[in-house]
Amino acid sequence: GIQVEQSPPDLILQEGANSTLRCNFSDSVNNLQWFHQNPWGQLINLFYIPSGTKQNGRLSATTVATERYSLLYISSSQTTDSGVYFCAVEDWRGSTLGRLYFGRGTQLTVWP
Amino acid sequence: NAGVTQTPKFQVLKTGQSMTLQCAQDMNHNSMYWYRQDPGMGLRLIYYSASEGTTDKGEVPNGYNVSRLNKREFSLRLESAAPSQTSVYFCASVLAVMNTEAFFGQGTRLTVV
């Protein structure tokens, strides 16, 4: 299966700071999603972004499929942004179509 | 529109006990999945159902069975729970495989003592 690597593994910020999270994947994919897992464990869809750039409020994401990476930007961070951010990709050639391969996540802590 | 609903949210089992985790989606999605999440890890696929009437193994199927009861419901059964199955379990669904967004339930935190 596809290998997904996320960096950094941990990130500590003061409220108001900006950050960039990175997701590298080992082969071409047809689907990439970013999730936020909040402190209660819930997985929240942030972006479905196989390629290109999308923005949603203070968050934006860019996927460069040809270079096998995606970036998640968080601007003017807030304490509610704390949690784990996961990148997940789907390998269209895999035997398990629709299966997502997850990275290990970036643990983000935002202090007031 | 509830999306993907899992029950129960929390469960404690004794080693050797059995239980079934329930998952239902109301988005008319075709494919459903069960993942487990362990500390410091991403999610790993246990079983999946590409469409109603089909099920197949994922990455970590040992100790589990599944049933795709109908298009809406996909259950995960632990026949004889073991401490190694202590984990958080997530159900997910997609409209169709390839190029579609996955949606997850709120998770079931299972502890086996």
Side-chain angles (χ1 to χ4, degrees):
Chain A
I2 289 190
Q3 305 303 311
V4 181
E5 294 184 359
Q6 292 186 242
S7 61
D10 297 280
L11 189 56
I12 301 174
L13 300 173
Q14 191 127 31
E15 211 168 22
N18 302 328
S19 61
T20 301
L21 283 59
R22 187 177 180 101
C23 172
N24 293 332
F25 41 96
S26 60
D27 213 330
S28 57
V29 299
N30 68 295
N31 176 7
L32 187 144
Q33 289 186 236
W34 283 97
F35 296 91
H36 174 215
Q37 188 168 41
N38 64 23
W40 295 271
Q42 187 179 4
L43 279 168
I44 299 166
N45 292 36
L46 294 178
F47 294 101
Y48 167 69
I49 185 166
S51 63
T53 297
K54 290 186 178 180
Q55 179 145 13
N56 184 2
R58 297 181 295 104
L59 273 61
S60 65
T62 295
T63 297
V64 184
T66 54
E67 297 187 23
R68 301 176 188 168
Y69 73 89
S70 183
L71 301 174
L72 178 68
Y73 306 95
I74 304 174
S75 64
S76 304
S77 57
Q78 300 175 359
T79 55
T80 52
D81 294 332
S82 296
V84 184
Y85 289 80
F86 287 105
C87 165
V89 303
E90 177 186 359
D91 179 7
W92 64 275
R93 295 159 300 176
S95 59
T96 313
L97 291 178
R99 171 190 173 177
L100 292 176
Y101 292 84
F102 281 78
R104 291 182 178 235
T106 292
Q107 173 76 58
L108 175 64
T109 303
V110 181
W111 294 96
Chain B
N1 191 343
V4 181
T5 303
Q6 290 181 232
T7 55
K9 289 188 174 63
F10 301 94
Q11 184 71 49
V12 178
L13 290 178
K14 293 183 179 179
T15 298
Q17 286 185 318
S18 63
M19 78 161 296
T20 300
L21 281 64
Q22 306 287 352
C23 175
Q25 51 88 13
D26 61 4
M27 297 175 284
N28 201 33
H29 284 180
N30 291 301
S31 302
M32 299 183 73
Y33 305 81
W34 277 104
Y35 290 85
R36 61 177 286 173
Q37 182 182 24
D38 300 297
M41 307 282 288
L43 279 68
R44 294 182 293 168
L45 183 66
I46 306 171
Y47 268 92
Y48 70 101
S49 171
S51 60
E52 186 179 357
T54 69
T55 62
D56 214 332
K57 297 178 181 179
E59 184 183 0
V60 287
N62 291 344
Y64 305 96
N65 286 300
V66 290
S67 295
R68 184 76 182 266
L69 304 170
N70 47 55
K71 191 172 185 179
R72 290 186 63 249
E73 299 172 286
F74 188 39
S75 62
L76 178 72
R77 182 160 178 84
L78 287 70
E79 291 290 353
S80 178
S84 60
Q85 294 177 304
T86 294
S87 188
V88 181
Y89 292 85
F90 287 94
C91 176
S93 71
V94 301
L95 176 59
V97 295
M98 295 184 64
N99 298 326
T100 56
E101 188 175 3
F103 293 87
F104 282 80
Q106 72 272 38
T108 296
R109 186 173 294 274
L110 175 67
T111 302
V112 182
V113 297

